[in-house]
Amino acid sequence: MMIETLIAVTLVGALVTFVAPNRIAGKLAFLISLVPAGLSLWLFAAFDGSGNALLDGDLAFESQVEWLQFGDYAISWFVGLDGISLPLVVLTTILTTLAIVSSWTPIDERESQFYGLLLFIETNLIGVFVALDFFLWFVFWEAVLIPMYLLIGVWGGPRRKYAAIKFFVYTNVASLVMFGSFVALVFGLGDEVTSFALPEIASAMLAGGPEGFLGLGGTTLASVVFVAMFLGFAVKVPVVPFHTWLPDAHVEAPTPASVLLAGVLLKMGTYALLRFNFTMFPDQVEAYAVPIAAIAVISVIYGAMLALAQTDLKRIVAYSSVSSMGYVILGLIAYTQWGVGGATFQMVSHGLISGLMFMAVGVVYNATHTRMVTDMSGLADRMPVAVGILVAGAFGYMGLPLMSGFFGEFTIFFGSFGSEQLPYSQVFTPLAMFGIVIVAGYLLFALQRTVFGPYHLETDYEVGHAPLHDVAPMFVLLGLIILLGVAPDVIFEMITDAVDPIIANGGEL
């Protein structure tokens, strides 16, 4: 019952924080968040699972209890962990704790509601990564949207209402497309499945696939569902051309919400693609490899070019997330052990690096009250510690060796360049690698303008050293980025153990 304990403690903590007095809410939320963080680290240390959760793997901390009966199909409370989901659960709990600490400076109204919503998001994010019944998973998936909508809409910037509505509409419509298509697939499988348990559905798909539904033959139905689910998850990732909600959401969201949005919420999309599309539909992965790889490369290059054109530091980091997620999609579609394993590793790595970058931009904004590159320069002399961490995070984004970004990108490129499953892999991979050059261009340009040179600030604020509680979370993230860069097998070994069964069904080991 360890997973249930983890979810229950986080949910109860969210409710307690929500009704706590504002003056103690921040410290209380931090103390409460240490419990799920500690529990997730204990799960990591005690992990004894093997294989893939959907492909007859030996699940860790598994529990299954029948919940509802929907016609001929059972809906269960079914949770468990494998080497793909566990690192993302740990990422979620650690980032939430650090995001709470980073909130102490900028959040000064309705604190109890703000911190309660952060913990409620954490509850549902954990549920997304541990749920193995489709209906249960979808409940957690949708429940993430509501608190993020409120965080943006209530505590966001001047255009917060527009950004919150756009975020909710984009992601909710995408969810409806995904939900309807997957339910049609389950009905199309006929007597092959008797529940919405994902391992049972995956087994039926790999054994022969659907018989047909709504006048569509089995192969056609599988292709339609694959495309519909890919599009639904692509909005959450997001990839071009479904990315337009992301910069608005990031710019208007308060910094802690941006940390969780970039660090974990975007990983929901890539995690779901791996769990559903790339596990259950090996034939369709091969059939649609070229257009998916093209989308990945376009996202890498176009996202980087958009970042290059920005003068708002938050928009720069937001668009860089579009580019980084393009690398993850390329690794997945390579359908090799190194490609898919590297993509999964990159989900965790990008969560840490993007969280660090948004925190650093938030600290700069707290001190200067501007995010515009043209409004400031020479900050290194006034706030050297925060600026030093910002520079280190930027180098992590550029793929500096001995940082996690380097290992993630290297394994993706290594897996995709030699992929026999991906046509034109030796064209797609070099094109994607060119994105690193653009990344270095826009990050170095932004850093050169803001942190170096003579001191200048357009706003009337005195800039000094950032408070300890602002820089401490960034030190933790930087330490984790270096740890995974120096010793990637801390998580990569368990990742590849869970990825290998997927590849064995249709890719290249």
Side-chain angles (χ1 to χ4, degrees), residues 59-282:
L59 287 171
F61 314 108
E62 175 186 4
S63 63
Q64 184 174 10
V65 178
E66 186 169 329
W67 180 17
L68 300 169
Q69 190 69 29
F70 183 75
D72 296 329
Y73 301 95
I75 299 173
S76 301
W77 173 271
F78 185 12
V79 295
L81 288 167
D82 66 1
I84 293 172
S85 55
L86 179 55
L88 293 169
V89 169
V90 176
L91 172 69
T92 300
T93 59
I94 291 176
L95 267 187
T96 302
T97 297
L98 299 178
I100 287 171
V101 177
S102 72
S103 307
W104 291 351
T105 295
I107 303 302
D108 56 5
E109 61 178 1
R110 300 182 181 179
E111 291 97 325
S112 58
Q113 289 88 352
F114 181 87
Y115 293 110
L117 289 172
L118 284 183
L119 290 171
F120 187 61
I121 286 181
E122 179 184 18
T123 303
N124 292 293
L125 286 170
I126 294 170
V128 167
F129 297 131
V130 302
L132 294 170
D133 179 280
F134 176 72
F135 263 88
L136 178 64
W137 174 86
F138 189 75
V139 168
F140 285 124
W141 176 276
E142 285 295 280
V144 169
L145 301 182
I146 299 169
M148 182 56 70
Y149 168 81
L150 293 173
L151 288 173
I152 298 172
V154 176
W155 288 272
R159 300 176 71 242
R160 58 186 180 272
K161 293 181 180 178
Y162 167 78
I165 292 172
K166 189 174 183 180
F167 160 77
F168 192 84
V169 169
Y170 265 69
T171 53
N172 199 42
V173 170
S175 296
L176 291 175
V177 171
M178 173 270 295
F179 178 82
S181 61
F182 193 79
V183 170
L185 176 69
V186 173
F187 290 159
L189 288 169
D191 296 335
E192 296 297 319
V193 295
T194 58
S195 74
F196 283 91
L198 296 180
E200 182 182 354
I201 296 169
S203 177
M205 286 296 297
L206 296 174
E211 301 170 358
F213 187 65
L214 296 176
L216 298 175
T219 303
T220 303
L221 176 62
S223 296
V224 170
V225 172
F226 176 87
V227 171
M229 295 191 70
F230 179 86
L231 294 176
F233 297 140
V235 173
K236 182 74 78 175
V237 173
V239 297
V240 177
F242 307 113
H243 66 286
T244 58
W245 64 268
L246 183 65
D248 292 318
H250 270 311
V251 168
E252 300 304 322
T255 296
S258 289
V259 169
L260 289 182
L261 179 59
V264 189
L265 264 72
L266 304 189
K267 311 310 175 292
M268 290 168 57
T270 49
Y271 170 81
L273 282 171
L274 178 56
R275 275 287 189 237
F276 291 88
N277 292 65
F278 290 88
T279 300
M280 299 182 184
F281 299 86

Side-chain angles (χ1 to χ4, degrees), residues 308-348:
L308 186 62
Q310 305 304 311
T311 56
D312 184 316
L313 287 174
K314 234 184 178 187
R315 280 191 176 271
I316 291 173
V317 180
Y319 279 117
S320 68
S321 291
V322 177
S323 184
S324 295
M325 290 297 97
Y327 290 129
V328 174
I329 301 298
L330 180 64
L332 293 177
I333 199 58
Y335 227 39
T336 62
Q337 181 190 56
W338 285 100
V340 178
T344 308
F345 182 93
Q346 183 69 354
M347 294 182 207
V348 179

Side-chain angles (χ1 to χ4, degrees), residues 54 126 141 191 211 230 288 353 360-361 390 399 423 444 459 484 498:
L54 270 60
I126 294 170
W141 176 276
D191 296 335
E211 301 170 358
F230 179 86
Y288 292 97
I353 296 173
V361 171
L390 172 62
L444 290 175
T459 57
L484 291 184

